[in-house]
Amino acid sequence: AGAGGWGFAARGLRTSVPGRKEAAVSGLEEEYEHATGLEKAEIESSMKGVDMFKEDWLDAPFGTADNPVEVPSSFSERIVGVTDPEDDTIIVWDTIKEGEPAKQIVEGGEFFVLKKVA
């Protein structure tokens, strides 16, 4: 039974070292096997070359009343935080809602509008 009568099957040895890309993909596939929920969704996105947490609106031009930053959301409202212009260690939070006009959260700050996505 098995190799040398020890009751287990012999396994072949790999004689070449995998390349970095091959090893990274292999490691990701192994993580995927054990992942659930959000972690699994993130790995699936990563395997497709997509960063599911990348939000383009964060890199958008400064939002004005006429051309506000469009914040995508699958919900009818979203919380947005901006830094206080006088103290960037303070974050001011507010809610933007579907159908509302562009909203300025802090005086002199950017304008935001919610863009509903499916």
Side-chain angles (χ1 to χ4, degrees):
W6 290 93
F8 58 88
R11 296 182 119 183
L13 296 174
R14 184 180 181 124
T15 57
S16 64
V17 177
R20 285 186 177 168
K21 185 175 181 180
E22 184 181 12
V25 169
S26 175
L28 198 59
E29 288 171 352
E30 187 174 326
E31 282 183 49
Y32 181 78
E33 287 181 36
H34 303 285
T36 61
L38 184 59
E39 181 183 16
K40 190 169 194 165
E42 184 177 10
I43 292 171
E44 287 171 345
S45 293
S46 183
M47 291 169 86
K48 294 175 186 173
V50 176
D51 180 355
M52 70 182 272
F53 295 112
K54 172 83 170 111
E55 300 210 35
D56 293 333
W57 67 274
L58 292 172
D59 299 322
F62 191 86
T64 63
D66 295 328
N67 189 23
V69 174
E70 291 183 342
V71 181
S73 179
S74 56
F75 300 101
S76 59
E77 62 182 46
R78 184 156 175 186
I79 298 171
V80 175
V82 297
T83 55
D84 183 307
E86 296 176 17
D87 183 353
D88 64 4
T89 64
I90 298 173
I91 299 175
V92 180
W93 300 95
D94 205 343
T95 303
I96 56 174
K97 297 179 181 178
E98 181 181 16
E100 287 186 345
K103 187 174 195 177
Q104 186 179 40
I105 297 173
V106 295
E107 188 175 333
E110 295 188 79
F111 286 80
F112 299 89
V113 67
L114 186 116
K115 179 182 178 186
K116 184 87 182 240
V117 294

